[in-house]
Amino acid sequence: MGEVFYVTTPIYYVNDMPHIGTAYTTVAADAVARYQRLKGRRVFFLTGTDEHGQKVAQAAAERNQNPQDWADSMVPHFKETWRILNISNDDFIRTTDNRHTKVAQVFIQKLKDKGDIYLGTYEGWYCVYDESFLLSSQIVDGGCPECRRPVEWVKEENYFFRLSKYADRVLKHIEENPDFVQPESRRNEVISFIKSGLSDQSISRTSFTWGIPLPFDARHVMYVWFDALLNYISAIDFGSNMKRFEEIWPADLHLVGKEILRFHAIIWPAMLFAAELPLPKRIFAHGWLTVEGQKMSKSLGNVIAPKELVDEYGADAYRYYFLREFSFGIDGNFSRRTLLGRYNAELANDLGNLSSRVLTMVMKYRDGIVPEPKASGAEENRLREIIPEILAKLDVKMAALAFNEALSAVWDLVHALNRYVDVSAPWSIASDPSKKKELDTILYTSLEGLRILALLIYPFMPETGRKIWERTGMSEKITQARIPEAANWGALRPGSKIVTGEPLFPRKPE
Ligand code: MSP
């Protein structure tokens, strides 16, 4: 089971447009997926949209639209956002897809047949924004503990899932598998929440109709979270193509924002236990982003669409910034000043200049032909030796989802290469015919370093990685390259032709 590396994002509600918060998870998942592919793993990377429930129904009603039409009109915005950010998802699941609704019905029927679902009455608080049932003890200042919005008092006939029956098993699993819920601080929160006692979970609604009808009682629609969590198995053909399902399931990694960790770390495992399916290997909750120190919200008018930043900086600079600036597990603050600062210092200066000066010198001194290196000296050896160290560090940091540290390791190579070019000062020997071999070696070494660098930045900045790779004269596609083999020294063939190309990251006025 699970031969494929399976990584997921949450499926996003279609009540509103995607923004830099939603894109944060998707960009991170893309870096993970691309890194795993680079390592030669078969990857299945899933994202999609969560289209049922009261919140989406309300959003549609406010525009006098029926919810299906509304969802249909919103989905292209998500797809387009992932396209401009160069997201390499293998599938896009919609909870209104027939393939999903069928699986959700089969799944819930299975739990019903088992006796894990019973009819009752829910009376309590409900937060429409978070689509969550809340205990009175959870209410903070009369509002939702998560989003602080006003909550509704709901009394309706609901079906319940015997969550309490599985509480001990879920707790035991979390305690025995330290990697299952991460980061550690969030894992502890989940553990204490379970220990405080779990009641059964309402899993249907009767006060509106926008949802998947229960197969055993069509007066009810499925609770949107029960429906949504099942996307992770409906997209891989649970129930219809079990061979494929078993190749992909269990998920290696569910990436989620911290506010939805409980659904993933408590309800979802209990649902899977009830259905006798293996649990995902790892659930990682990342922090939330604020914008210039404030929570992003429509009322504050500070919601930023990824497109706005991509138009200004390009997709790769966007991806670089969000992965480099923040520590994934904790909250962070987006600011235009830090974006511009990193763009100029790390992309325009460190990376862009490195690439353009190396390529320009090869063009100028060797007519753009990769020279044959001769005996290497201490500086060359030093540069070559750090590459395996950087690769090892990158691997450890990627496994920990410490994207900022992974990029900082990659930048060690950027700095080492810049330093190498500085100390070797090829321009100072360029006109001395007796130093021809020396110059050849310096140019080859810089180019080969640049080629390897292209590979390492590829998961984070796929376009830039590809461009640098091709400019150094590689004819094989970067998508075919695998680490660590492709990062072995010497793959660049003397005699190939390099390309200088347009500046990668033109400097911007500060
Ligand atoms: N539909 C549910 C998820 C169901 S998964 C089975 C949902 N959707 S959502 O549209 O509200 O998206 C929530 C996710 O978007 C968060 O978990 C997080 O991944 C991301 N973010 C939304 N706003 C964010 C920030 N301000 N900062 C960082 N990430 C945030 O919840």
Side-chain angles (χ1 to χ4, degrees):
M1 267 195 146
E3 293 140 47
V4 173
F5 186 92
Y6 182 20
V7 54
T8 68
T9 72
I11 48 170
Y12 302 104
Y13 288 127
V14 291
N15 63 307
D16 236 322
M17 294 287 198
H19 52 65
I20 59 171
T22 10
Y24 186 51
T25 324
T26 312
V27 164
D30 191 62
V32 171
R34 287 181 185 271
Y35 183 71
Q36 291 296 332
R37 290 191 198 107
L38 187 62
K39 289 211 323 176
R41 289 291 301 268
R42 268 173 72 201
V43 170
F44 188 70
F45 168 19
L46 180 68
T47 190
T49 41
D50 192 353
E51 306 184 10
H52 293 126
Q54 203 173 347
K55 167 153 105 169
V56 172
Q58 277 179 4
E62 279 161 22
R63 280 109 178 159
N64 289 320
Q65 288 207 27
N66 82 50
Q68 186 67 64
D69 290 345
W70 170 254
D72 290 347
S73 73
M74 289 302 287
V75 166
H77 295 292
F78 284 86
K79 291 192 169 167
E80 177 61 7
T81 302
W82 307 149
R83 192 188 64 78
I84 63 170
L85 285 170
N86 214 348
I87 302 301
S88 63
N89 53 302
D90 297 289
D91 197 354
F92 186 102
I93 182 96
R94 300 181 53 178
T95 53
T96 54
D97 284 348
N98 192 25
R99 60 175 174 154
H100 173 78
T101 55
K102 266 192 336 213
V103 171
Q105 288 183 322
V106 167
F107 189 96
I108 206 164
Q109 184 68 54
K110 192 169 169 177
L111 268 50
K112 175 80 169 44
D113 295 345
K114 225 186 140 185
D116 278 346
I117 286 174
Y118 62 91
L119 189 61
T121 301
Y122 176 80
E123 184 165 7
W125 298 108
Y126 194 82
C127 170
V128 177
Y129 187 81
D130 286 322
E131 297 280 17
S132 64
F133 295 95
L134 296 162
L135 300 169
S136 292
S137 59
Q138 290 176 288
I139 302 300
V140 177
D141 299 333
C144 167
E146 202 51 65
C147 69
R148 305 291 156 125
R149 288 176 176 77
V151 286
E152 289 179 359
W153 186 260
V154 175
K155 184 176 180 191
E156 58 182 38
E157 185 188 88
N158 286 175
Y159 282 92
F160 286 79
F161 165 52
R162 294 190 197 281
L163 182 63
S164 57
K165 173 176 159 190
Y166 295 98
D168 289 346
R169 261 181 93 182
V170 174
L171 181 61
K172 187 161 174 275
H173 188 85
I174 297 175
E175 285 181 330
E176 285 175 0
N177 298 277
D179 292 345
F180 180 55
V181 177
Q182 289 178 324
E184 175 83 28
S185 58
R186 304 251 163 244
R187 174 175 178 261
N188 293 337
E189 285 170 16
V190 170
I191 291 177
S192 34
F193 188 77
I194 303 177
K195 284 187 173 163
S196 72
L198 294 184
S199 36
D200 289 345
Q201 174 69 42
S202 167
I203 49 146
S204 73
R205 303 291 312 269
T206 39
S207 52
F208 62 93
T209 56
W210 180 235
I212 303 176
L214 298 193
F216 45 85
D217 190 343
R219 293 172 305 141
H220 291 243
V221 291
M222 205 177 284
Y223 170 44
V224 64
W225 268 101
F226 196 92
D227 164 354
L229 288 162
L230 291 169
N231 90 87
Y232 301 130
I233 63 169
S234 67
I236 54 171
D237 296 340
F238 173 72
S240 63
N241 180 350
M242 289 307 275
K243 185 171 171 291
R244 174 168 189 251
F245 175 74
E246 283 171 12
E247 254 172 37
I248 304 178
W249 191 257
D252 292 77
L253 179 62
H254 286 319
L255 287 181
V256 300
K258 62 178 184 181
E259 85 291 4
I260 58 171
L261 179 61
R262 277 185 204 167
F263 296 97
H264 285 82
I266 303 174
I267 301 179
W268 180 224
M271 287 165 65
L272 291 165
F273 276 140
E276 290 158 36
L277 288 173
L279 302 197
K281 293 185 193 151
R282 186 179 182 198
I283 305 165
F284 191 100
H286 64 70
W288 262 51
L289 300 182
T290 49
V291 168
E292 312 288 353
Q294 285 184 308
K295 200 168 171 173
M296 232 187 313
S297 83
K298 261 193 168 165
S299 47
L300 288 173
N302 63 351
V303 179
I304 304 178
K307 184 170 189 306
E308 204 185 300
L309 301 177
V310 171
D311 284 348
E312 199 176 338
Y313 288 90
D316 277 358
Y318 180 109
R319 295 167 59 111
Y320 175 80
Y321 171 79
F322 281 93
L323 295 169
R324 178 68 187 83
E325 174 75 6
F326 309 110
S327 173
F328 197 54
I330 57 180
D331 293 346
N333 177 46
F334 167 85
S335 84
R336 291 186 185 268
R337 190 182 52 79
T338 53
L339 170 57
L340 181 61
R342 285 202 186 270
Y343 177 90
N344 275 339
E346 291 153 30
L347 297 179
N349 235 13
D350 295 347
L351 178 62
N353 281 352
L354 169 70
S355 153
S356 82
R357 67 182 179 149
V358 170
L359 296 166
T360 306
M361 285 190 296
V362 177
M363 193 54 82
K364 188 164 158 199
Y365 305 139
R366 293 294 179 262
D367 285 333
I369 305 298
V370 178
E372 178 104 39
K374 297 291 171 331
S376 52
E379 287 298 334
E380 285 77 25
N381 291 340
R382 186 167 147 174
L383 184 69
R384 286 169 60 159
E385 279 161 16
I386 65 163
I387 291 172
E389 291 166 23
I390 291 176
L391 271 169
K393 195 162 169 198
L394 174 64
D395 204 50
V396 169
K397 298 303 180 189
M398 286 305 279
L401 305 179
F403 305 110
N404 56 341
E405 293 174 21
L407 275 166
S408 149
V410 174
W411 249 245
D412 287 346
L413 182 56
V414 174
H415 296 309
L417 278 165
N418 269 318
R419 186 188 158 278
Y420 172 76
V421 174
D422 290 343
V423 297
S424 339
W427 48 86
S428 67
I429 55 168
S431 52
D432 183 347
S434 72
K435 300 269 171 72
K436 179 182 174 300
K437 286 183 180 173
E438 230 176 294
L439 182 63
D440 281 348
T441 303
I442 298 170
L443 294 177
Y444 182 89
T445 305
S446 319
L447 271 177
E448 178 61 348
L450 201 55
R451 177 191 71 83
I452 294 172
L453 177 64
L455 275 177
L456 307 192
I457 63 176
Y458 177 77
F460 310 96
M461 296 191 278
E463 264 307 286
T464 307
R466 183 187 62 76
K467 278 187 191 156
I468 297 180
W469 178 263
E470 288 171 2
R471 286 178 189 184
T472 60
M474 292 301 287
S475 50
E476 298 87 332
K477 286 208 165 9
I478 193 165
T479 45
Q480 305 295 316
R482 297 287 170 260
I483 56 170
E485 301 78 10
N488 286 346
W489 193 266
L492 189 60
R493 277 184 299 276
S496 351
K497 182 109 186 59
I498 67 112
V499 181
T500 44
E502 295 287 298
L504 294 170
F505 300 101
R507 215 185 148 76
K508 290 190 187 290
E510 301 221 10

